[in-house]
């Protein structure tokens, strides 16, 4: 056992017995939503995972340990604590050595999940190639991590604040299968459409689990991105969302927001200026992703899939 891992007994038992376990990130708790919606959503998402037959394992770094599975008290702490570090791969050694509270991004959550033997991870939307990356070189570590860590990532597509076309090109370059669940169009987080076709489409959790098993049995290391479109009744139409994003990007540039502070700033700006419409969509899509992720994990845990 890695000395830096601290696995909740319920999660440890499920892994030892070969049961379905779903990893969940903690950035959404500390940096993705305001309190108390962040804590409420985190707990509800765990219940969605349980309801679909899997065990949730929310991941964070606390007191020098990579915690795999959090108690309600730990989730509440992350939801209210100030100065929680937003942890990507580059930050992990520092945050662990300093015993600082850290909420894990997609990249860090994937790496910790893989260290524990968890194969399915649910998030809201992945990071990717930022708009203007041809001059800034701002490309999320989520993508490079997906190229090497064999964990399936279930999300509502790519965050719509990013350059979706370039992100899809980067994923192809890294050999990461991109599968959209139940439709031909690739979704864009808040919206079911992005203007891009999905490279692949599958219509059942069992088919997705089969793809994952074959991929890894072939020795093809790395993730698969499972894009799960937001339910239609909760989506924000893409043209409307694009207007909010343009305004948010302009505000970020004016305030000289850079680096890892950009995404939280943009999401907060959009939530405030869309009268909470984007926050409602964000909550709906993470719950929706949790259900599909749990179904995939259950199917993957069954022999012969």
């Amino acid at each position: 056992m890695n000395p830096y891992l601290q696995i909740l007994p319920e999660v440890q038992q499920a892994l030892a017995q070969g049961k379905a376990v779903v990893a969940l990130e903690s950035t959404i708790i500390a940096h993705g939503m305001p309190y108390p919606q962040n804590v409420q959503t985190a707990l509800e998402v765990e219940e969605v995972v349980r309801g679909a037959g899997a065990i949730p394992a929310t991941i964070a770094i606390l007191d020098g340990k990579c915690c795999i599975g959090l108690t309600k008290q730990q989730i509440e702490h992350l939801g209210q604590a100030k100065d929680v570090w937003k942890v990507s791969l580059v930050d992990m050694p520092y945050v662990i050595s300093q015993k600082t509270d850290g909420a894990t991004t997609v990249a860090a959550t994937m790496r910790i999940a893989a260290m524990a033997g968890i194969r399915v991870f649910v998030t809201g939307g992945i990071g990717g190639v930022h708009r203007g990356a041809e001059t800034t070189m701002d490309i999320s570590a989520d993508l490079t991590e997906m190229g090497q860590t064999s964990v399936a990532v279930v999300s509502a597509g790519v965050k719509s604040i990013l350059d979706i076309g370039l992100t899809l090109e980067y994923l192809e370059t890294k050999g990461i299968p991109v599968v959209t669940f139940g439709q031909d169009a690739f979704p864009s987080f808040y919206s079911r459409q992005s203007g891009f076709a999905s490279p692949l489409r599958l219509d059942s959790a069992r088919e997705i689990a089969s793809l994952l098993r074959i991929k890894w049995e072939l020795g093809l290391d790395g993730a698969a991105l499972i894009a799960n479109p937001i339910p239609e009744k909760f989506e924000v139409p893409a043209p409307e969302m694009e207007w909010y994003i343009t305004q948010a990007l302009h505000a970020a540039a004016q305030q000289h927001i850079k680096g890892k502070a950009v995404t939280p700033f943009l999401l907060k700006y959009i939530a405030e200026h869309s009268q909470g419409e984007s926050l409602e969509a964000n909550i709906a899509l993470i719950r929706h992703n949790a259900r599909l992720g749990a179904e995939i994990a259950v199917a993957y845990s069954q022999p012969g899939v």
Side-chain angles (χ1 to χ4, degrees):
M1 176 62 66
N2 189 304
Y4 297 108
L5 297 187
Q6 182 172 296
I7 305 178
L8 202 67
E10 179 191 28
V11 176
Q12 181 70 69
Q13 183 179 10
L15 290 170
Q17 295 174 350
K19 294 182 178 178
V21 178
V22 173
L24 302 166
E25 58 151 302
S26 50
T27 298
I28 196 170
I29 305 171
H31 303 108
M33 295 181 187
Y35 182 82
Q37 290 99 328
N38 53 358
V39 171
Q40 181 181 352
T41 299
L43 295 174
E44 288 177 354
V45 166
E46 288 199 344
E47 287 308 307
V48 170
V49 171
R50 292 185 194 280
I55 300 298
T58 302
I59 291 175
I61 297 175
L62 300 170
D63 196 28
K65 298 287 186 181
C66 298
C67 297
I68 301 165
L70 302 182
T71 65
K72 289 183 179 181
Q73 291 76 17
Q74 288 172 322
I75 290 174
E76 185 75 33
H77 168 72
L78 280 174
Q80 296 192 64
K82 305 300 181 184
D83 301 321
V84 175
W85 201 280
K86 184 181 178 185
V87 180
S88 190
L89 292 177
V90 70
D91 311 298
M92 284 178 62
Y94 176 85
V95 172
I96 292 170
S97 66
Q98 295 297 306
K99 297 189 175 181
T100 303
D101 289 343
T104 51
T105 62
V106 168
T109 307
M110 282 183 70
R111 178 64 64 93
I112 296 168
M115 290 165 66
I118 300 172
R119 287 292 204 175
V120 178
F121 161 52
V122 165
T123 184
I126 66 165
V129 181
H130 281 255
R131 301 184 188 202
E134 60 272 16
T135 56
T136 65
M137 291 296 291
D138 192 351
I139 299 173
S140 172
D142 294 356
L143 298 187
T144 49
E145 184 65 12
M146 289 174 70
Q148 61 187 0
T149 298
S150 298
V151 173
V153 181
V154 181
S155 78
V158 176
K159 289 188 176 77
S160 46
I161 58 177
L162 304 171
D163 189 317
I164 295 175
L166 290 183
T167 301
L168 287 171
E169 289 288 350
Y170 194 102
L171 289 166
E172 181 183 15
T173 298
K174 288 290 184 179
I176 301 163
V178 176
V179 180
T180 297
F181 179 69
Q183 70 176 35
D184 295 325
F186 185 75
S188 59
F189 199 57
Y190 299 116
S191 311
R192 292 176 63 84
Q193 305 288 325
S194 66
F196 295 91
S198 177
L200 302 168
R201 169 182 175 167
L202 290 173
D203 295 335
S204 73
R206 181 167 289 274
E207 288 178 299
I208 295 170
S210 178
L211 177 146
L212 296 173
R213 186 173 298 283
I214 291 169
K215 177 188 192 305
W216 294 325
E217 286 180 348
L218 288 171
L220 297 173
D221 294 335
L225 175 61
I226 313 303
N228 186 31
I230 184 172
E232 192 170 355
K233 66 178 179 178
F234 292 110
E235 80 165 324
V236 182
E240 178 184 342
M241 184 49 61
E242 185 61 28
W243 187 86
Y244 290 125
I245 292 168
T246 301
Q247 299 301 311
L249 288 168
H250 180 67
Q254 283 190 319
Q255 297 180 40
H256 306 289
I257 306 296
K258 295 182 180 179
K260 64 171 64 179
V262 171
T263 296
F265 174 87
L266 296 177
L267 294 177
K268 182 180 179 183
Y269 182 99
I270 293 166
E272 290 173 348
H273 289 78
S274 66
Q275 289 75 52
E277 188 177 16
S278 68
L279 179 59
E280 181 184 14
N282 200 356
I283 293 170
L285 67 84
I286 187 66
R287 288 171 57 92
H288 191 54
N289 294 346
R291 185 171 296 105
L292 177 60
E295 291 171 355
I296 293 168
V298 169
Y300 186 85
S301 70
Q302 297 169 348
V305 173

